[in-house]
Amino acid sequence: MQVVPKELRYVTILTLLGGSSPAIAIWLNKVIIDEITRLLSIGTTQNAIALILSQPLLLSSIAGSLLVNLVSDADR
């Protein structure tokens, strides 16, 4: 009896993610582009990886974008 509500919960979450994932992906891509533009307007860098790792908003946006894409691709 417990399996059915758990499966229903998973289906509901996947349906919500599937419907909203394109909008979330576009928003995260916008944040990534805005942050990179802001960083490049300050100056150039020799070590891009260190720059990305030192910017929490950029790093979390990249991770979120990857996660949204993985989840939406797994749903298909």
Side-chain angles (χ1 to χ4, degrees), residues 16-75:
L16 288 173
L17 286 176
S20 62
S21 63
I24 294 170
I26 289 172
W27 179 75
L28 287 172
N29 288 335
K30 180 205 172 297
V31 171
I32 292 168
I33 291 169
D34 289 346
E35 280 298 302
I36 290 173
T37 303
R38 183 185 65 80
L39 292 171
L40 290 178
S41 69
I42 296 170
T44 60
T45 182
Q46 296 297 322
N47 192 353
I49 300 297
L51 182 65
I52 290 172
L53 293 175
S54 69
Q55 302 296 320
L57 180 60
L58 180 58
L59 186 61
S60 62
S61 297
I62 291 170
S65 178
L66 289 172
L67 183 65
V68 167
N69 286 328
L70 285 173
V71 169
S72 66
D73 286 345
D75 187 31

